[in-house]
Amino acid sequence: MIKQTSKPVISGTLESYLEEVAILQKQYGAVRITDLAERMGCRLPTATSAVRRLHKLELVNYEAYRPITLTSSGEATVRQLSQRHRLLEDFFLNLLLLPATVSEQEACRLEHRIPTRILRRLRIFMDYFRSRPDLLKAWDGQKSSFQQFLKKEKSLKAAKKASKTGAESPTLLKKSIVKD
């Protein structure tokens, strides 16, 4: 019988703790549980519980009253999360033309939730897009048109919302239908 080794399933919350451990470790060399709890905005017992679960998954080195450090598996997981984040942020920023702050926030939120098969397809799409200079040139020529379209959609949405509340919207031109 062949033993299959599979990557442990880790929740989005634990991924966030793991990323924060990586950030603190990069800054300070090792991580104190009190610093981690403060950065995560939680109580010490909550952070300790999360770190114990990460330790059980062999993603961090942890002993009570000792600094926390990433294991090689933890470092690999953080690199993978970082790649997911960069891919999503790149897509949001450069193709959907979302503002940088929104792109960053949404990439951070979605990197923990989006299925791997969807990310794989998105990566293939982005690689395809970037491998085609004709597409890049065409998109560069269409960005301003897309931005104007987004503004128009935003105005129409605001007008529709205003009409539901009974307010008149100066941005919406009402069209009359002429019958012969």
Side-chain angles (χ1 to χ4, degrees), residues 25-58:
Q25 183 175 320
K26 187 175 182 179
Q27 286 178 338
Y28 304 112
V31 181
R32 296 181 316 161
I33 196 77
T34 53
D35 295 332
L36 182 61
E38 183 179 313
R39 289 286 285 269
M40 294 300 293
C42 66
R43 295 179 25 230
L44 199 56
T46 305
T48 302
S49 174
V51 168
R52 284 184 178 144
R53 287 184 282 158
L54 290 170
H55 177 69
K56 193 173 186 174
L57 294 169
E58 300 179 356

Side-chain angles (χ1 to χ4, degrees), residues 59-179:
L59 297 171
V60 297
N61 298 306
Y62 171 71
E63 291 180 45
Y65 308 107
R66 305 285 300 161
I68 305 156
T69 57
L70 293 172
T71 63
S72 58
S73 181
E75 289 172 351
T77 302
V78 168
R79 277 192 303 275
Q80 183 183 34
L81 287 169
S82 180
Q83 289 171 352
R84 294 167 71 105
H85 181 97
R86 284 193 310 269
L87 175 65
L88 290 165
E89 187 174 10
D90 181 33
F91 178 71
F92 296 150
L93 189 63
N94 295 310
L95 285 178
L96 298 184
L97 304 180
L98 292 169
T101 54
V102 174
S103 296
E104 161 65 26
Q105 291 168 349
E106 291 307 310
C108 191
R109 189 175 66 81
L110 290 175
E111 72 190 30
H112 305 292
R113 293 173 177 82
I114 193 164
T116 303
R117 70 181 189 283
I118 302 299
L119 277 171
R120 192 175 305 119
R121 181 60 65 97
L122 182 58
R123 178 171 284 110
I124 291 167
F125 172 77
M126 294 297 284
D127 289 346
Y128 171 75
F129 192 81
R130 288 218 163 78
S131 72
R132 299 274 312 272
D134 57 322
L135 290 177
L136 290 172
K137 188 175 181 180
W139 179 240
D140 282 342
Q142 292 297 314
K143 281 182 182 177
S144 62
S145 176
F146 182 59
Q147 288 170 327
Q148 288 178 351
F149 179 79
L150 290 172
K151 286 178 185 177
K152 181 180 173 186
E153 286 295 310
K154 187 175 180 180
S155 294
L156 290 172
K157 186 177 178 182
K160 187 175 180 181
K161 185 177 180 181
S163 69
K164 284 183 181 179
T165 62
E168 285 296 319
S169 172
T171 60
L172 179 65
L173 296 175
K174 296 183 180 181
K175 296 180 181 179
S176 61
I177 300 173
V178 180
K179 295 183 181 180

Side-chain angles (χ1 to χ4, degrees), residues 10-19 40 50 53-54 112:
I10 179 172
S11 70
T13 301
L14 285 182
E15 287 177 343
S16 293
Y17 274 94
L18 192 63
E19 287 177 307
M40 294 300 293
R53 287 184 282 158
L54 290 170
H112 305 292

